[in-house]
Amino acid sequence: EEQLVESGGDLVQSGGSLRLSCAASGFPLTSYAMSWVRQAPGKELEWVASIDSISMFKSYAASVEGRFTISRDNAKNTLYLQLNSLKTEDTAMYYCAKGWLSSQLPSGLRIAQGTQVTVSS
């Protein structure tokens, strides 16, 4: 059974940093591009970043460019998202997802339980 388990979310002050992890099981992570998406309270799901299968290409939403870094360790079957210079507007549930995504998210995107990031002012 394919599974994605996110972790690393926390309550952090504005300007702080966090590193999120996404542990994949049931499928070879190395075969897939991967992405992070997030959903703030009362808002729609929003694409955050994508990385190709061998970490050659990365893409970021304009709202996080220069502050967030997506990476992966295929040997550990794990995807990461480093969040720096956090802002209150980054408060959201963060999810990892299979595939190369963009601002136009597909309907029916499969996501798991997510990890909560809360940024206080």
Side-chain angles (χ1 to χ4, degrees):
E1 180 186 359
E2 293 187 0
Q3 201 170 20
L4 296 170
V5 179
E6 301 92 341
S7 62
D10 205 346
L11 170 63
V12 62
Q13 285 192 330
S14 180
S17 297
L18 283 174
R19 188 175 84 154
L20 308 184
S21 298
C22 169
S25 60
F27 69 98
L29 191 72
T30 189
S31 297
Y32 296 89
M34 295 292 293
S35 300
W36 286 95
V37 297
R38 67 185 181 184
Q39 188 166 29
K43 295 191 176 181
E44 294 186 348
L45 206 59
E46 174 191 25
W47 168 70
V48 174
S50 294
I51 186 170
D52 74 324
S53 61
I54 57 172
S55 303
M56 183 170 292
F57 299 105
K58 302 178 184 180
S59 183
Y60 297 93
S63 59
V64 307
E65 179 96 53
R67 300 188 298 121
F68 291 9
T69 302
I70 189 171
S71 63
R72 62 193 296 157
D73 186 335
N74 287 339
K76 295 182 179 179
N77 243 32
T78 303
L79 176 73
Y80 302 101
L81 186 68
Q82 178 68 39
L83 293 66
N84 296 331
S85 303
L86 280 162
K87 305 176 181 180
T88 55
E89 52 263 44
D90 294 319
T91 294
M93 189 72 79
Y94 285 71
Y95 305 90
C96 58
K98 287 174 67 176
W100 183 273
L101 302 175
S102 69
S103 57
Q104 298 295 321
L105 292 174
S107 60
L109 179 66
R110 184 178 173 184
I111 55 177
Q113 87 286 349
T115 187
Q116 177 68 41
V117 173
T118 303
V119 185
S120 64
S121 58

